[in-house]
Amino acid sequence: MLPACDESYQAPALAYPPPDIADLDQGASLFDDHIGSWIAAGWAYFVSGDLDASRARFERAHDIDHKFAESFGSLAVLDAVEGNTKEAQRKALTAVRLDRECFSATLAQTLLLSGAGNEHRAKELFEQALTTPIGKDARDLAHN
């Protein structure tokens, strides 16, 4: 079982309702060269199960900046989910070279390890990513 799917995992409660996917798409279109908007829309489609739409948004982000780690990492996750192991590995490694704390690259690596039967290492890597300090306040994803 993937660490993110573990029954003990509790997603943090949101103080506001999440945006509709259409709103994220509209925002990405309005701010056409804002990579983060395309990445956010891509993840919304990913979570909804529309992997083709997700890939299109991640590829748009990648087209804006070919050196943005999150676009490589996000595409690596899609490749891992779709069984394209070699491509997922290549993109995840590129993302890590660009940003060693790239969360989507870590997620892709977790999926690859899990798919190869190394559940223990996948869980360790996922836990490490959740507790890696991010931002100026040094908070992490596990203890927001």
Side-chain angles (χ1 to χ4, degrees):
M1 176 177 291
L2 294 176
C5 299
D6 188 321
E7 299 84 37
S8 65
Y9 175 76
Q10 294 288 323
L14 297 176
Y16 52 87
D20 184 54
I21 293 176
D23 293 338
L24 289 170
D25 258 350
Q26 183 180 13
S29 295
L30 287 171
F31 301 103
D32 189 47
D33 61 349
H34 186 261
I35 297 170
S37 297
W38 291 106
I39 294 290
W43 281 113
Y45 279 106
F46 178 85
V47 171
S48 77
D50 189 342
L51 301 185
D52 291 335
S54 179
R55 181 173 296 281
R57 273 80 184 161
F58 293 153
E59 287 176 349
R60 175 64 185 116
H62 185 71
D63 289 343
I64 294 168
D65 183 351
H66 293 284
K67 294 182 182 177
F68 188 61
E70 280 299 327
S71 64
F72 277 103
S74 300
L75 288 166
V77 169
L78 279 175
D79 287 335
V81 167
E82 294 173 343
N84 301 322
T85 305
K86 288 187 185 217
E87 195 61 21
Q89 289 170 336
R90 185 186 69 76
K91 289 175 183 164
L93 289 174
T94 300
V96 169
R97 277 197 307 266
L98 292 169
D99 177 1
R100 64 183 177 86
E101 295 177 354
C102 177
F103 188 80
S104 59
T106 302
L107 179 57
Q109 291 171 327
T110 300
L111 294 170
L112 291 166
L113 285 166
S114 181
N118 196 342
E119 296 290 333
H120 179 71
R121 180 64 186 126
K123 187 170 179 77
E124 283 179 344
L125 186 61
F126 188 75
E127 292 297 325
Q128 179 184 359
L130 287 179
T131 57
T132 299
I134 55 175
K136 293 179 183 178
D137 62 2
R139 296 174 77 175
D140 60 45
L141 294 173
H143 305 97
N144 61 357

